[in-house]
Amino acid sequence: MLVFIRNIFVVLIIVAGNYSVFAQQSSVQLPSLITNDDTKTSSAENLSIESILQHSMFVKVSTNKSKAFVGEPVLAVYKFYTSVHGQAVVTKQPEFTGCSVKELTFDDDPQSEIIKGETYSSYIIRKVQLTPLKSGFLSLGEASVDNYIELPSGSDPFVTDNYNISVKNPATSIQVSELPEKNKPREFYGITGIFGIAASAASSTIPVGESGHLIVTIKGSGNLDAVNKPEIIWPVNTEHFEGNDSQHVNKDEFPINGDKTFDIPFVGKHEGKVVIPPIRFSFFNTSLKSYQTVSTDSIPITFTKALAKKDQFADVVNYDISNRRYLWIVPAIAFTVALVGFISYKRGRMRVHEQLVAPVSTATPEPVFIEPPSYVQIKYRTDFSRYWQDLQNITDTKSFFSKVKDLLGKAIAERTDTRDHSDDILLSELKQKTENNQLYERTAALFDTCNVNLYAPFETDADLHHYFIETKEIIEQLQAES
């Protein structure tokens, strides 16, 4: 009976109003895809347009696994499915606690999918890599979508009725377990994934007192952000310094893969040969479900006789002597700059004069065509005040800064109107789109604090109340400027 009434309803709408609202629907029974209960039935008297529309769309979250270890990346994809035409607006994005979040790129174009014999258009709402920071259950949160639909009225086909159907994904979670203690290496600092390591010296022959560079690269897939400089056993005849690191990641694939390179300067104290021992790096292999340690080859270095001072400055002296004949270029450049400045000044004065004496135009400007909105629009303004109480009650440092980073990312994304939630993109967009440099500096500093407290291989001690106030003030200021 449900199938028969539903199909008659669809045909009447199409014929009466010359609409194709349900053209994508087939003539099979329409199940409740939100509750996955195919046994539910409705009587003809209780069957309404709202109930039919409600069963024609849903939100679904899918993951690549139902169980994970602490630090093991999990893929979560949120999709909106609909078999009717309308304007969909994401009113709520999923929220996460107890994990770090990395936004992954995805295709905005709709896809056609067949589920239980029914054809749907699916739209990706959000695609993220979640890295659990503690054991227990990791809640995946809820994504809500409002779909606005116009249908011809049953009493008058030339009049339209408006419907607003709200749907959200069912609550679900991932079970997270602690990493096993058995066979845990001494050099293990919580990194999970699949990695390799390589190291080399920029030069194997270095004069005493001159700076050499040890380049260490860790490459692979997993929680790359948490990778820190591995332990290096330096030979007695060397002195090393704080270096810098660079990171390259590919967010088009899961798990996020890339490399992290450490450039570490060092000098030799005396002439002679030394060997930097193999550098070891341990991680939990998420494919093998066991710990693994990789290492580099040993690196031989020869420190040669220190450069004499006259040799160090020989090139500078020769450069000065040999280039004296070109000193005339300096005043020539100065004259050229002055001439260009004078010409620019005169042209500017002429343009100002022309604007003052130019007649006022009364011509009607040409109409501007405004691009219509896309089929599915993602736009919302978050009420952050509802998060303050929960944030203030968090006492665990990593959970606190994970929540702060998530809220800060949302606020910047709304302020800059960007959908990429990666740290670098968010801060770059904020720097370009705000004239408040002090706000940008405070925001960047808070991001750095979050990363330090989330990814440090040791427990950190932070004044959570201070950072709660800082987070609240920054987010309120970001919203005030938008």
Side-chain angles (χ1 to χ4, degrees):
M1 176 62 74
L2 176 62
V3 178
F4 177 73
I5 293 175
R6 175 180 172 278
N7 291 333
I8 291 179
F9 169 77
V10 174
V11 171
L12 286 176
I13 290 178
I14 296 174
V15 173
N18 194 25
Y19 282 82
S20 59
V21 175
F22 291 92
Q24 295 181 357
Q25 299 181 351
S26 62
S27 60
V28 299
Q29 183 178 0
L30 183 64
S32 175
L33 290 167
I34 298 175
T35 61
N36 292 322
D37 184 2
D38 298 337
T39 62
K40 277 190 175 181
T41 58
S42 301
S43 63
E45 292 79 8
N46 294 329
L47 191 64
S48 64
I49 296 178
E50 286 86 351
S51 65
I52 292 177
L53 293 175
Q54 187 77 42
H55 288 78
S56 299
M57 62 191 72
F58 62 99
V59 177
K60 178 182 178 182
V61 55
S62 58
T63 60
N64 66 320
K65 59 188 69 176
S66 59
K67 297 180 180 180
F69 287 103
V70 172
E72 180 179 4
V74 175
L75 174 66
V77 181
Y78 295 78
K79 283 186 178 182
F80 170 62
Y81 293 81
T82 180
S83 57
V84 299
H85 293 292
Q87 184 179 19
V89 178
V90 177
T91 54
K92 182 178 182 294
Q93 285 279 13
E95 300 166 6
F96 309 102
T97 58
C99 65
S100 64
V101 183
K102 279 291 184 184
E103 303 292 333
L104 301 177
T105 56
F106 57 84
D107 190 356
D108 291 329
D109 296 332
Q111 302 294 322
S112 180
E113 297 186 34
I114 298 177
I115 302 177
K116 297 184 179 181
E118 193 77 10
T119 301
Y120 291 87
S121 293
S122 65
Y123 299 82
I124 297 179
I125 299 173
R126 197 172 181 186
K127 185 177 181 181
V128 292
Q129 174 178 298
L130 307 176
T131 305
L133 301 175
K134 60 182 180 179
S135 59
F137 286 92
L138 173 61
S139 174
L140 298 182
E142 294 179 347
S144 300
V145 178
D146 284 357
N147 204 20
Y148 301 94
I149 302 168
E150 291 185 353
L151 294 176
S153 173
S155 58
D156 188 347
F158 297 101
V159 176
T160 58
D161 291 332
N162 299 318
Y163 300 90
N164 179 13
I165 308 299
S166 298
V167 291
K168 62 182 180 181
N169 61 280
T172 185
S173 60
I174 298 292
Q175 183 178 346
V176 182
S177 304
E178 290 285 357
L179 290 168
E181 290 295 327
K182 185 179 180 181
N183 299 325
K184 182 183 289 186
R186 183 186 65 83
E187 305 92 348
F188 178 74
Y189 296 108
I191 308 301
T192 65
I194 303 175
F195 296 95
I197 186 171
S200 63
S203 175
S204 60
T205 303
I206 308 166
V208 171
E210 297 299 309
S211 178
H213 290 268
L214 176 65
I215 310 298
V216 182
T217 300
I218 297 174
K219 184 176 182 180
S221 61
N223 55 340
L224 194 64
D225 281 342
V227 173
N228 290 316
K229 181 174 64 179
E231 182 180 353
I232 301 169
I233 302 174
W234 292 94
V236 177
N237 190 25
T238 60
E239 181 180 359
H240 66 280
F241 308 95
E242 283 298 323
N244 57 68
D245 62 81
S246 59
Q247 180 175 306
H248 305 88
V249 297
N250 177 16
K251 295 183 178 180
D252 294 333
E253 298 179 3
F254 172 86
I256 290 177
N257 61 78
D259 61 78
K260 199 164 189 176
T261 300
F262 302 90
D263 183 346
I264 310 157
F266 66 95
V267 296
K269 299 179 180 179
H270 308 286
E271 294 181 49
K273 294 183 178 181
V274 299
V275 175
I276 299 176
I279 302 169
R280 296 162 59 88
F281 177 71
S282 297
F283 58 93
F284 183 80
N285 190 312
T286 51
S287 177
L288 301 177
K289 306 299 180 186
S290 62
Y291 293 101
Q292 185 176 351
T293 298
V294 293
S295 63
T296 69
D297 295 330
S298 57
I299 305 170
I301 303 291
T302 300
F303 294 117
T304 60
K305 185 179 180 180
L307 293 176
K309 290 186 177 181
K310 62 179 182 179
D311 295 332
Q312 295 176 358
F313 296 103
D315 292 339
V316 177
V317 173
N318 291 336
Y319 175 84
D320 291 340
I321 295 174
S322 60
N323 287 281
R324 286 175 181 172
R325 61 180 179 273
Y326 298 111
L327 293 178
W328 63 270
I329 295 178
V330 176
I333 293 175
F335 175 76
T336 303
V337 171
L339 181 61
V340 171
F342 176 75
I343 294 173
S344 299
Y345 169 77
K346 294 294 292 181
R347 287 182 176 177
R349 296 276 301 203
M350 292 176 64
R351 280 196 295 268
V352 171
H353 177 72
E354 291 173 356
Q355 291 173 358
L356 291 174
V357 302
V360 178
S361 175
T362 58
T364 303
E366 295 184 2
V368 178
F369 175 76
I370 300 177
E371 192 72 22
S374 59
Y375 182 74
V376 173
Q377 296 180 346
I378 298 180
K379 53 182 180 180
Y380 57 93
R381 182 180 176 86
T382 303
D383 177 14
F384 287 94
S385 62
R386 57 197 172 109
Y387 299 119
W388 301 143
Q389 187 63 43
D390 291 339
L391 181 62
Q392 202 167 16
N393 291 335
I394 298 176
T395 56
D396 178 71
T397 301
K398 287 189 178 294
S399 299
F400 176 84
F401 283 104
S402 176
K403 186 65 174 178
V404 168
K405 189 174 180 181
D406 182 51
L407 294 177
L408 195 59
K410 293 178 188 296
I412 299 175
E414 291 182 17
R415 168 64 181 84
T416 59
D417 193 25
T418 179
R419 292 179 59 185
D420 192 326
H421 284 206
S422 63
D423 298 3
D424 294 340
I425 297 298
L426 286 175
L427 290 175
S428 175
E429 289 291 316
L430 180 62
K431 189 172 185 178
Q432 294 178 19
K433 297 181 180 180
T434 182
E435 297 179 357
N436 191 334
N437 189 60
Q438 183 181 8
L439 175 61
Y440 166 77
E441 294 294 341
R442 288 181 67 187
T443 307
L446 184 55
F447 252 122
D448 289 341
T449 301
C450 289
N451 288 330
V452 168
N453 284 275
L454 284 175
Y455 304 124
F458 48 83
E459 289 295 328
T460 55
D461 185 17
D463 184 354
L464 301 188
H465 178 70
H466 166 76
Y467 287 110
F468 167 76
I469 300 298
E470 183 75 357
T471 302
K472 187 171 180 292
E473 290 179 355
I474 289 175
I475 290 180
E476 288 176 347
Q477 194 170 353
L478 285 170
Q479 287 207 307
E481 288 196 356
S482 59

